[in-house]
Amino acid sequence: QLGVGALYASPMLAAAPGSTHGYDVVDHSRACPERGGERGRRVLAARLRELDLGLVVDIVPNHMSVAVPSANPWWWDVLRHGQESRYAKHFDVDWSAGPLLLPVLGDDDGVADLKIDDGCLVYYEHRFPLAPGTDRPAGGAREIHERQHYRLVSWRRGNADLTYRRFFDITSLAAIRVEDPEVFAAAHAELLRWAADGDVTGLRVDHPDGLTDPGEYLRGLRAASGGWLVVEKILAPGEALPASWPVDGTTGYDSLREICGVFVDPAGGPAFTELAESLGVATDFAAVQEECRRLVTDTILVAEKRRIAALLPGVPRAAAEDAVAEVMIAYPVYRSYLPAGRASWQAALGRARDRRPELAAAFDALDTGVRSNPEGELAQRIQQTSGMVVAKGTEDTAFYRYTRFVALNEVGGEPAAFGVSPAEFHAASAAREAATPRGMTTLSTHDTKRSEDVRARLSVLAELPTEFAGSVRRWTDRCGIPEPSLNLLAWQTLLGAWPIDATRLREYLLKAAREAKVRTSWVDGDAEFESAVAAWPERVLADAELAAEVATIVERIRLPGWSTALGQKLVQLAGPGVPDVYQGTELWDLSLVDPDNRRQVDFSARRNLVGRIASGWLPEVDDDGAAKLLVVQRVLRLRRERPDLFVGYRPLPADGPAAEHALAFARSADLVAVATRLPVRLAASGGWRDTVLPLPAGQGWTDLLTGKEIDSPNPALAELLDRYPVALLVRRTA
């Protein structure tokens, strides 16, 4: 009824016991029993066929869960037999360094069954007395081997000597070697069987940057599966997918930056910068980013750094480690794909040389090793690890510290650039239509820092920077959080997600504080500071006068926020690419980061509203969000019924005193989308006045959202957008 073409599902293979998301696969040979198993999968496939819907499945080729070792047959066998295990080569373990080293739980999130307790090492539910003053059982590894049949396994506190590659810093997710044909076959046989049977029509590849050779992997996957194929590749602004990848496109974070950014008023930037500086919040994003990337290379990713440095023979270990870290910190993109991506490698190397000239010899050795063998282990591990440094340092740390204007702090975003100009937006859209018209576009995902509608509401603040700044200064004096960057984040979050209860806000702020790693972190907590953060939501909400002020500003930005949210949605759905509509976002959705955005969705309410819309109801733009559902349903049904309309891309500039507030483009010659930009400034300037939108030549049009017929070749925007701030025009046939 909504008009979607496919169900887009998280991973469906067997996952760790109790998994809430499926990205922690433990067995590639079967469907997840806790989600219905093979029988449930077949029932789902049959039902989708009846509805003429496809199925796009998320796959995780980079890693497997080892949180419950006995649940993962491959890992369990490695623990029992060490390097002699038939699965020893399935995991990315540095066997040359000796035993497989596991972390002791307590210093990080570690392997769940390994911990120190009451003078004993608890190892997979068996207790071994520790030798006095050590972390090693009195009987040593021999006792474990003899009593439990584990071989070539050791342990360490922390993660600095770990000898297996992980998914980022999560020690319970061990990387696998899908570059090996045997491992590829074992990890994909079941998925490929589903595709061959026609049950799966598309694949979404999770975290391709973690693979040894993403291009070769994708070529093998394309040859084996056919069908639609997109990759969760985070592109920096201006970066393109490698031309050699046989994929339809990315999962759409690049489009998210462009679509959301074009609705942000760049004129608000200076005032937000001034506010942040006055509160003691850093405003040099490059400096914050460098600091955060350095933090992760020196702490949570130190094992990866050391493993790479060990591949530089003849270079003193300290210098080698520093050189490796500096290059990864300096990367302009997540990862270079050598040899084609040599430019980004050279850029990172050059920046690193400028920062640390005393490491010239180490940089020379590193560059020589990479250039002489771009497919060798040194080059491969540098590439794999740079993406980890960028993701953990930038997305998961800097984005929580650099809180000048958090609507810009999104996966694939560029917070230093205050918005996206219409010219840049149109150029990017045209390029997408030309290069990856079947790539995914998105506004909200399970990984976004905040939902599309929170960002839409926050974008309105860029049009009211003085009012916002004055309020935040006043509120901070009255009830501030004693850490400037978190304090500024908290006030923006309160406005963006209002109304929000104390529990949700508390859980979000504690997560944000730990991710920022300023006053507390996941592994080095500050109980006193966290108590202050946890108490803040109730303090604010219990302060009737302050809460009333917050509610007043929310009321001021609510309607413009809805206008922007509708504009974003129309532009995404009608523009180039294959739109992804994340669960629940058919109506207003004011969710924050995972796990807040995984809350239950009321599908019954949505089903009822879709039925009313299908019968001709035109909802008001109000709290129930049905106006957004109208936009989603009308555009998606048109895409399904008239795919011929959604080809090509041409900007349509408006003409008149408010022309900058119209964002319009044509698809084919018979479809036009129109959205309103910067609604607060538009209203303050007197509205649309006599601004018109010149349409492509030809006979009349119908607005598919309202049913209104437009016969003028230059309709007045005041009339065209009198009911909704968006319009979808389809040319009437003779």
Side-chain angles (χ1 to χ4, degrees), residues 260-280:
C260 294
V262 78
F263 290 93
V264 172
D265 188 353
F272 274 81
T273 299
E274 181 183 354
L275 170 64
E277 289 175 344
S278 72
L279 295 175

Side-chain angles (χ1 to χ4, degrees), residues 320-354:
E321 291 182 7
D322 285 351
V324 167
E326 289 296 335
V327 171
M328 292 190 296
I329 289 167
Y331 254 79
V333 295
Y334 276 66
R335 170 177 175 157
S336 59
Y337 303 95
L338 299 172
R342 190 180 302 277
S344 57
W345 164 253
Q346 292 296 338
L349 188 66
R351 191 176 302 170
R353 288 184 187 276
D354 290 342

Side-chain angles (χ1 to χ4, degrees), residues 276 279-282 397-404 406 450 472 476 479-494 505-520 529-537:
L279 295 175
V281 178
T397 307
F399 279 7
Y400 288 97
R401 291 189 184 187
Y402 185 82
T403 57
R404 175 184 66 156
V406 298
R450 49 196 57 81
V472 167
T476 298
C479 190
I481 291 177
E483 195 286 294
S485 60
L486 185 66
N487 175 68
L488 186 52
L489 171 66
W491 294 118
Q492 292 176 77
T493 302
L494 188 62
L505 187 55
R506 176 172 60 251
E507 291 175 353
Y508 169 77
L509 290 176
L510 284 172
K511 175 169 183 168
R514 291 165 181 164
E515 295 284 14
K517 309 171 189 67
V518 177
R519 291 280 301 275
T520 190
F529 175 71
E530 290 196 358
S531 294
V533 173
W536 186 83

Side-chain angles (χ1 to χ4, degrees), residues 563 570 652-665 672-677 682 686-695 703 706 708 710 712-729:
S563 172
L570 177 71
L652 290 181
D655 183 26
E660 67 168 323
H661 295 283
L663 185 73
F665 54 82
V672 170
V674 189
T676 302
R677 290 183 68 239
L682 173 63
W688 291 111
R689 290 162 284 170
D690 57 356
T691 305
V692 299
L693 181 67
L695 296 173
D703 179 6
T706 63
K708 180 187 299 183
I710 296 95
S712 169
N714 299 288
L717 283 166
E719 180 181 349
L720 180 63
L721 303 178
D722 61 347
R723 182 176 184 98
Y724 296 123
V726 293
L728 183 67
L729 309 182

Side-chain angles (χ1 to χ4, degrees), residues 278-428:
S278 72
L279 295 175
V281 178
T283 58
D284 183 340
F285 181 67
V288 172
Q289 181 173 247
E290 179 183 344
E291 177 184 39
C292 294
R293 291 184 183 183
R294 192 174 304 283
L295 173 67
V296 301
T297 60
D298 290 344
T299 55
I300 60 177
L301 297 180
V302 68
E304 287 74 13
K305 176 179 70 174
R306 290 177 176 173
R307 188 170 180 181
I308 295 170
L311 299 173
L312 292 175
V315 180
R317 179 55 62 89
E321 291 182 7
D322 285 351
V324 167
E326 289 296 335
V327 171
M328 292 190 296
I329 289 167
Y331 254 79
V333 295
Y334 276 66
R335 170 177 175 157
S336 59
Y337 303 95
L338 299 172
R342 190 180 302 277
S344 57
W345 164 253
Q346 292 296 338
L349 188 66
R351 191 176 302 170
R353 288 184 187 276
D354 290 342
R355 289 173 177 168
R356 298 289 300 276
E358 75 278 11
L359 295 174
F363 288 135
D364 288 344
L366 192 58
D367 190 30
T368 298
V370 168
R371 287 191 295 108
S372 64
N373 189 4
E375 296 180 352
E377 184 179 8
L378 175 63
Q380 289 173 341
R381 293 204 179 279
I382 280 280
Q383 293 176 84
Q384 284 178 306
T385 310
S386 70
M388 298 165 68
V389 171
V390 174
K392 296 303 297 182
T394 299
E395 284 179 35
D396 293 346
T397 307
F399 279 7
Y400 288 97
R401 291 189 184 187
Y402 185 82
T403 57
R404 175 184 66 156
F405 183 55
V406 298
L408 302 173
N409 294 18
E410 198 47 83
V411 181
E414 180 53 56
F418 208 90
V420 171
S421 71
E424 180 186 352
F425 169 81
H426 287 308

